Amino acid sequence: MTAVSAVKAALKTQAIETPSWAYGNSGTRFKVFAQPGVPRTPREKLDDAARVHQHTGVAPTVALHIPWDKVEGSDGYADLAKYAQGLGLRLGAINSNVFQDDDYKLGSVTNPDPAVRRKALGHLLECVDIMDATGSRDLKLWFSDGTNYPGQDDIRARQDRLAEALAAVYERLGEHQRMLLEYKFFEPAFYATDVPDWGTAYAHCLKLGPKAQVVVDTGHHAPGTNIEFIVALLLREGRLGAFDFNSRFYADDDLMVGAADPFQLFRIMYEVIRGGGFTPDVAFMLDQCHNIEAKIPAIIRSVMNVQEATAKALLVDGEALGAAQRSGDVLAANAVLMDAYNTDVRPLLAEVREELDLDPDPIAAYRRSGWAEKIVAERVGGTQAGWGA
């Protein structure tokens, strides 16, 4: 049996990165629903992120999205990093954006127009400059590039263009910086997406070198995909760099992590732990946009969902599972996993928080803090942050 003390010790080391854009207004392609008290600046996003970390104790870093979090001045990003440090935070992954400009209608780094490709590459290199200023380790790349119709463009040529751009960015990375390549099997490209699956991302990363790693977004898969298999394989190959945690029911992926299938999240976390991925080398990031629910409580709840899945995964009796697997006892092996999953770990996590001098109930603590009322009263005027801002 796994000792409870060891589980607690492991949980105290967990770090979950929250995304700056999750604190802003967001919605679907049909409507963005504004909420009172939403941040207007990157610093106000960090203020909200600090509240999440204050109540959970495991959210010390914040991912930025450029240009949504663009700051002015030669020292602007260094100053933002200092501001984060003053809040007890660090700036995490820098996310590029080569999907919103009109120029990118036919793609960014895979666009048939060399001028558009140069523009997109320039932005990616700018993001590495921002990493230098913020001290960020990771550059996260997601490309909406693809085609909608057969014959629209040369599929192989687009892969060549992608490889050329990735190689240029890889060459620019510093010694301790990494490139994280994300994939999505469709949308907005409906015929052929240029990075549609883990295999395509892995192939490009393998060619580039060890500083290129794959991001597994838990919402970016076809229904029924065995995500934990992908996780296990990438860990085995040393190429799992990060997660984007969220959840999905149909085709979009911006629900709170674990909302649709908490058992899947548990299975993923078990493979992470089993494969040696429960280390700082694998970044556990949220990638969510909270459309109708309050932003900060939803992020806190998401962090808690990851913690609960992790705790259950840590409770799996590895010795009993291995014995059942070696003996071919199918039902006993499954029962070991189910026993861990069916364990109510909330009291255990409450104890962990109390040992960290935190309130055992982060949501209740946030509601009592008065922060929600404070930001509604103070954040009046200006332009709220949101998609495209």
Side-chain angles (χ1 to χ4, degrees), residues 277-293:
F278 194 60
T279 73
D281 290 334
V282 178
F284 298 97
M285 299 182 282
L286 303 180
D287 183 9
Q288 304 170 188
C289 292
H290 302 288
N291 302 339
I292 58 175
E293 64 270 34

Side-chain angles (χ1 to χ4, degrees), residues 352-363:
V352 168
R353 295 182 186 111
E354 288 178 326
E355 291 172 9
L356 293 172
D357 295 323
L358 300 170
D359 191 290
D361 186 340
I363 293 289

Side-chain angles (χ1 to χ4, degrees), residues 193-209:
T193 300
D194 290 330
V195 190
D197 52 38
W198 70 270
T200 305
Y202 172 67
H204 281 284
C205 289
L206 192 63
K207 187 173 183 179
L208 289 166

Side-chain angles (χ1 to χ4, degrees), residues 331-349:
L331 293 179
N334 178 252
V336 172
L337 283 181
M338 295 310 300
D339 285 345
Y341 176 69
N342 288 323
T343 302
D344 184 357
V345 296
R346 291 174 297 177
L348 173 66
L349 282 162

